[in-house]
Amino acid sequence: MYDKIYDVKNSLLFLFFSLFILSVSAQQKYTVSGYVKDKTNGESSLGATVYIKEILKGTTTNSSGFYSITIEEGEYTLAISYIGFKTIEQKIILNKNIRLNYEIEPDVITTDELTVIGERKDGNVDETVMSTVELDIKKIKSLPAFFGEIDVLKTIQLLPGVQAAGEGNAGFYVRGGGLDQNLILLDGATVYNASHLAGFVSVFNSDAIKDVKLIKGGMPAEYGGRLSSVLDITMNDGNMKKYEAEGGIGIMSSRLTLQGPIKKDTASFIISYRRFYLGDILQPFISDSSNLKGTNYYFYDLNAKLNWIISEKDRLYLSGYMGEDVMTYVNNKDGFATNIPSGNAIVSLRWNHLFNDKLFSNTTLSYTRYKFELGLEQGQIEFKLFSGIYDWNAKMDFNYLPSILHSVKFGLDYTFHKFVPSNVSIKSDEVYFNTGDIIKNYANDAAFYLSDDWDINERLRVHVGLRYSLFQHVGPFKRYKNNQFGSPVDTVVYDNFETVKLYQGLEPRLTARYTLNNTSSVKASYTQNYQYLHLVNFASVSLPMDVWAPSTDEVKPQFARQYAAGYFKNFKDNKFETSVEVYYKTMDNQVEYKDGAVPQDNAGNNVDHQFTYGKGWSYGAEFFVKKRFGKVNGWIGYTLSWTNKQFEELNDGNVFPAKYDRRHDASVVLTYNPSKRWVIGAVWVYATGSALTLPEQRYTIQGQIVSDYGNRNSFRMDAYHRMDLSLTLKGKEEKKFKSDWVLSIYNVYNRMNPSFIYFATEGSVYDGTLEIQAKQVSFFGILPSISWNFKF
């Protein structure tokens, strides 16, 4: 697979060469460029539409608010449009290159009177991208919240093609892909674990977030390293106009954000902190004699960012995130205690540079760390397990805009990985057991990409891209050679930076949009991805012990191809957006632990000796209807899909449904503004029950219960559905102080959705009274919560 020469390679290279020739051979053209930002706080406006009214063509601003349009000499009307802001129009005479910066003002109209410019086709129909959704953080805050916590990840679970990992869980699956197949970025840095509280709350504090973009298919060439999706999250830059404080106080957690100018219109800061404290509140109610005395749980998130405009051409951003979970469980009666700390740390330094009116660059240096620890104590025995992943990353992204018909992007990306997968230590009294050396893996991960968004004619636009990725597993490394019983009998030692295994491959990306008329279009895409990192879970262990592991001489990279096509239609002057998309995805070299694998088997051995390999495929259709503005707005989404897997060493080699296979998945999301002070939010979701493996029959042999399991994931739990409601009352507006009360009710009709099933036994085998019953565990019934939010 890795030595193939794709036919598309030569055609893409020829196409890129042709595009550059065309861009320099056209008649005399001039460029209007500049920056767009919010007048109230100086924040750059990401995704604002800037276009020429006379030809109905233009562009959108990048993450720094920069735009560039190159067209023939003449007189034009330049328009700047952004939902929720007043539209700006200006007559320009383009007989030379000009620089025009704009500050846009919020539009005070929030009812059905709000309109967008009707002459221009909406991005849902007109843009090349498909399977992509950008979420407004203000809309997210108006939806019902689990435990009162506004959550980005739970909001994207309400979109078609995205499925929740479980009841209340912030993890998500996209178009049949696993949890590890989602690339999650925070200001350009990778986030490896995006959840707190065993997955119930995400690590993203909504007060610190400016923009959220989810890509489910048609992944552009600048993204890579994952098979299924990209979740690109951008933090707020910090208010450059004035000092602000905002936050919220809830039943279980509180948050506070401070931001303001270091030097007005030149430099700013933002710092945001969130703390979960329910465990601390409960401590006084746990008596000293309780078996649970000493049990506690808390987490925190800290976001910070500095933003400095050095000059018209240079801008620096320094952002950081640190979060930690600490869970302690004590059972004094049994003499048992466990401590589970885990957390992320991220630092990112970005430099934006404008070479000229047509060439923009973004250089990023970042460090990412995720670690997980598990400590168990019972009597004199102590068991500890720890794992982690550490990344040092550097990347350069360039955007070249030769004309209004082309937007060329190219760049390179390099990461040095350090993996510490599932290392174990065991102690009994004062005796330490030899569990072998601490296992570490190192790797170089690099990629180069080139793409162009090309308007071929009035109806046809294509996005064509090519990504070349390379992954090198290097020393120091010990490869243990095992005998037939799984015990090491020999060792191969690799020195520092000596190549253990090298993988490389081409990843073509192609998306096309054909406009049928002013309100409808059809789109199609093809993407090919390699994934060199793997997240593997112990099926035999119920604790959160997922392990990140690299591709090695035994573990091949995951590889996927995805085909998608869709029809997009807008109604009533772009007030309603609708779409239907179909997709088919194949996934090779999927990784799972072998049946019966446990963490201690890694002691003095390579973790990949416990892996088994297979393939998967997913296909389905997604339906989406969205009302964009007005007193009542929201969306309805529905997905019909199938996801299957096949492993030679699992399920006797037969095909089986993935545990996250969902035949039907539906969501209804609505917000209603009856007045300026009241906002009502409602969410209803439905999903086919999760697939799992259960015994088909049980019998006894010599007094012992023996289970005879059926095919893997052949049983379905009951369907999942619930409704959430929220009511927001905004305080009377004052010049310097704003506040609101939010009442949320999770699972309004108290549906007891199944989380997992276990078997309980009663009676005795010997007297014939033995009864075995399957019992369903449901975590959450109806859950009301209230919070008070403020801003001044």
Side-chain angles (χ1 to χ4, degrees):
M1 178 186 298
Y2 312 106
D3 298 323
K4 286 184 178 179
I5 300 176
Y6 299 95
D7 292 336
V8 73
K9 174 184 175 182
N10 293 330
S11 59
L12 285 172
L13 292 176
F14 175 76
L15 179 57
F16 288 140
F17 180 75
S18 301
L19 297 182
F20 280 103
I21 295 298
L22 287 171
S23 69
V24 299
S25 62
Q27 59 180 301
Q28 182 65 50
K29 297 180 179 181
Y30 296 102
T31 300
V32 54
S33 62
Y35 293 88
V36 180
K37 59 184 179 180
D38 188 332
K39 187 175 183 178
T40 62
N41 55 25
E43 287 263 2
S44 56
S45 298
L46 167 62
T49 299
V50 184
Y51 70 102
I52 304 297
K53 289 191 68 175
E54 285 77 6
I55 60 175
L56 294 177
K57 289 187 179 296
T59 186
T60 56
T61 55
N62 65 15
S63 59
S64 297
F66 178 75
Y67 74 92
S68 176
I69 298 176
T70 300
I71 53 175
E72 289 79 7
E73 179 180 354
E75 295 185 13
Y76 300 99
T77 303
L78 185 70
I80 296 90
S81 173
Y82 202 44
I83 294 297
F85 288 80
K86 295 178 180 178
T87 297
I88 296 175
E89 293 186 6
Q90 180 179 345
K91 294 288 186 180
I92 61 172
I93 299 175
L94 202 59
N95 54 15
K96 62 180 179 179
N97 295 334
I98 58 176
R99 179 71 54 82
L100 295 174
N101 299 329
Y102 294 96
E103 290 188 335
I104 53 177
E105 297 182 65
D107 197 326
V108 297
I109 301 174
T110 58
T111 65
D112 285 316
E113 298 174 4
L114 175 65
T115 59
V116 294
I117 299 175
E119 294 87 355
R120 184 178 185 273
K121 292 171 283 188
D122 185 77
N124 176 58
V125 172
D126 186 61
E127 292 180 355
T128 315
V129 295
M130 64 180 299
S131 310
T132 300
V133 180
E134 294 195 36
L135 296 175
D136 184 348
I137 196 67
K138 293 180 181 179
K139 293 291 185 183
I140 294 175
K141 288 184 176 183
S142 68
L143 298 178
F146 179 73
F147 283 142
E149 282 293 329
I150 306 300
D151 200 318
V152 170
L153 297 191
K154 285 194 173 59
T155 303
I156 68 170
Q157 292 173 1
L158 303 174
L159 298 170
V162 184
Q163 298 162 350
E167 169 75 280
N169 200 300
F172 61 99
Y173 304 102
V174 177
R175 291 184 171 178
L179 292 174
D180 64 322
Q181 295 174 2
N182 304 312
L183 176 62
I184 303 176
L185 300 172
L186 180 64
D187 270 4
T190 303
V191 180
Y192 281 100
N193 182 44
S195 300
H196 288 299
L197 192 60
F200 295 133
V201 181
S202 81
V203 301
F204 302 113
N205 182 351
S206 60
D207 289 344
I209 294 173
K210 176 168 67 174
D211 181 70
V212 179
K213 180 169 69 174
L214 175 69
I215 303 172
K216 300 179 293 180
M219 190 183 298
E222 61 261 36
Y223 297 109
R226 299 295 187 274
L227 301 188
S228 292
S229 75
V230 178
L231 181 63
D232 197 348
I233 299 175
T234 305
M235 287 175 55
N236 285 320
D237 297 331
N239 196 318
M240 282 201 170
K241 303 290 186 180
K242 60 182 180 179
Y243 295 101
E244 281 186 343
E246 67 177 308
I249 300 174
I251 297 173
M252 297 188 301
S253 66
S254 293
R255 63 191 191 279
L256 177 65
T257 300
L258 303 174
Q259 60 180 316
I262 299 173
K263 182 180 180 181
K264 191 173 182 180
D265 293 325
T266 302
S268 64
F269 76 92
I270 182 172
I271 184 168
S272 187
Y273 182 75
R274 178 176 65 168
R275 178 66 149 78
F276 180 89
Y277 45 64
L278 180 62
D280 299 325
I281 293 176
L282 295 177
Q283 291 303 303
F285 301 99
I286 303 177
S287 66
D288 293 338
S289 60
S290 171
N291 288 332
L292 299 179
K293 185 65 177 179
T295 298
N296 196 2
Y297 172 75
Y298 71 87
F299 72 75
Y300 71 86
D301 296 303
L302 176 65
N303 296 77
K305 190 171 184 177
L306 297 175
N307 169 28
W308 179 23
I309 301 176
I310 302 172
S311 68
E312 182 78 4
K313 292 188 175 183
D314 295 281
R315 190 165 186 168
L316 278 179
Y317 303 89
L318 177 62
S319 54
Y321 167 81
M322 179 173 288
E324 186 175 22
D325 290 62
V326 177
M327 178 183 292
T328 303
Y329 173 77
V330 177
N331 187 320
N332 295 300
K333 180 180 179 181
D334 296 334
F336 175 80
T338 180
N339 184 46
I340 310 177
S342 63
N344 296 284
I346 296 171
V347 179
S348 174
L349 176 65
R350 291 188 297 138
W351 170 41
N352 292 163
H353 178 67
L354 183 63
F355 289 93
N356 53 51
D357 293 330
K358 299 180 181 180
L359 182 60
F360 183 90
S361 72
N362 183 53
T363 303
T364 305
L365 300 174
S366 65
Y367 168 76
T368 299
R369 182 217 70 198
Y370 169 66
K371 64 177 183 179
F372 170 85
E373 296 180 22
L374 169 66
L376 302 173
E377 294 184 26
Q378 188 162 26
Q380 297 180 333
I381 298 178
E382 296 182 15
F383 173 89
K384 292 185 178 180
L385 179 144
F386 56 96
S387 65
I389 182 169
Y390 306 79
D391 282 359
W392 292 263
N393 173 265
K395 60 182 175 180
M396 294 187 68
D397 301 291
F398 296 88
N399 190 189
Y400 176 53
L401 302 160
S403 74
I404 202 169
L405 301 178
H406 296 278
S407 177
V408 179
K409 293 183 178 182
F410 58 96
L412 53 91
D413 188 347
Y414 169 77
T415 302
F416 179 73
H417 300 286
K418 174 184 174 183
F419 302 86
V420 185
S422 290
N423 288 273
V424 175
S425 67
I426 303 174
K427 174 186 174 184
S428 179
D429 197 9
E430 297 300 320
V431 178
Y432 288 87
F433 293 87
N434 181 13
T435 57
D437 298 332
I438 295 178
I439 304 297
K440 296 179 182 179
N441 290 303
Y442 302 89
N444 295 308
D445 192 346
F448 308 89
Y449 72 88
L450 175 64
S451 69
D452 184 23
D453 209 34
W454 178 21
D455 266 323
I456 296 177
N457 55 44
E458 290 295 323
R459 291 185 178 273
L460 181 61
R461 176 189 288 181
V462 298
H463 176 90
V464 58
L466 183 66
R467 184 181 181 91
Y468 167 71
S469 60
L470 178 149
F471 188 87
Q472 181 188 32
H473 182 206
V474 297
F477 178 69
K478 288 184 179 180
R479 167 57 67 194
Y480 295 96
K481 302 293 184 178
N482 293 352
N483 59 21
Q484 58 181 334
F485 304 106
S487 300
V489 293
D490 194 11
T491 304
V492 178
V493 179
Y494 295 86
D495 295 330
N496 290 350
F497 297 104
E498 182 180 356
T499 299
V500 180
K501 185 67 177 179
L502 176 67
Y503 293 102
Q504 56 189 320
L506 289 174
E507 304 177 29
R509 314 287 174 81
L510 178 64
T511 305
R513 180 270 293 153
Y514 184 79
T515 302
L516 301 175
N517 51 50
N518 288 340
T519 62
S520 63
S521 66
V522 291
K523 302 179 185 182
S525 69
Y526 170 78
T527 57
Q528 185 169 294
N529 299 67
Y530 286 97
Q531 178 170 328
Y532 301 100
L533 309 185
H534 317 270
L535 184 66
V536 194
N537 177 261
F538 286 102
S540 59
V541 179
S542 59
L543 293 168
M545 298 173 68
D546 294 350
V547 173
W548 283 99
S551 296
T552 66
D553 53 333
E554 294 197 5
V555 184
K556 294 181 180 180
Q558 300 180 60
F559 176 74
R561 290 188 177 97
Q562 182 176 171
Y563 310 83
Y567 173 71
F568 300 79
K569 172 73 175 178
N570 286 5
F571 297 91
K572 292 192 173 181
D573 204 17
N574 298 320
K575 191 173 187 178
F576 291 90
E577 294 180 357
T578 65
S579 64
V580 179
E581 293 189 44
V582 294
Y583 67 90
Y584 179 79
K585 179 164 61 176
T586 61
M587 297 166 283
D588 296 329
N589 304 326
Q590 301 298 282
V591 184
E592 297 278 359
Y593 272 106
K594 296 177 181 178
D595 286 338
V598 291
Q600 54 266 36
D601 291 343
N602 292 336
N605 214 325
N606 300 118
V607 65
D608 53 21
H609 284 316
Q610 296 180 280
F611 296 165
T612 185
Y613 310 97
K615 62 182 179 179
W617 57 95
S618 180
Y619 54 95
E622 301 167 1
F623 303 84
F624 190 57
V625 179
K626 179 182 179 181
K627 186 171 184 288
R628 299 174 60 229
F629 47 85
K631 284 188 175 182
V632 178
N633 57 74
W635 68 81
I636 299 174
Y638 169 72
T639 305
L640 174 68
S641 64
W642 290 259
T643 303
N644 295 307
K645 289 190 173 185
Q646 187 174 25
F647 286 70
E648 185 177 343
E649 297 185 11
L650 300 178
N651 201 47
D652 295 325
N654 296 318
V655 175
F656 59 92
K659 65 179 180 180
Y660 40 85
D661 173 58
R662 305 280 192 277
R663 192 69 61 249
H664 306 284
D665 197 280
S667 61
V668 180
V669 179
L670 296 173
T671 57
Y672 172 51
N673 297 70
S675 69
K676 290 184 178 180
R677 295 187 61 191
W678 290 95
V679 180
I680 300 171
V683 170
W684 181 80
V685 295
Y686 173 91
T688 300
S690 298
L692 73 162
T693 308
L694 294 178
E696 290 187 337
Q697 58 183 350
R698 286 188 162 186
Y699 49 89
T700 60
I701 298 178
Q702 297 180 349
Q704 298 295 319
I705 301 175
V706 178
S707 299
D708 185 8
Y709 284 87
N711 290 329
R712 195 178 184 92
N713 294 340
S714 59
F715 182 82
R716 291 278 180 179
M717 288 195 283
D718 290 340
Y720 180 97
H721 58 87
R722 70 167 205 278
M723 176 180 283
D724 308 332
L725 294 175
S726 68
L727 182 64
T728 301
L729 173 61
K730 299 179 181 179
K732 294 182 178 179
E733 288 196 14
E734 301 177 9
K735 289 185 177 180
K736 294 185 177 181
F737 187 83
K738 297 179 182 179
S739 67
D740 59 62
W741 287 92
V742 181
L743 172 66
S744 291
I745 304 177
Y746 180 88
N747 198 359
V748 171
Y749 50 79
N750 200 33
R751 162 74 174 177
M752 302 310 292
N753 288 299
S755 295
F756 62 88
I757 294 173
Y758 74 96
F759 290 87
T761 59
E762 295 181 3
S764 171
V765 174
Y766 301 102
D767 60 13
T769 60
L770 178 67
E771 292 185 0
I772 302 175
Q773 290 185 329
K775 294 191 176 182
Q776 172 183 303
V777 175
S778 301
F779 283 141
F780 304 110
I782 184 171
L783 286 174
S785 63
I786 189 169
S787 60
W788 177 65
N789 303 308
F790 59 88
K791 183 176 183 179
F792 59 88

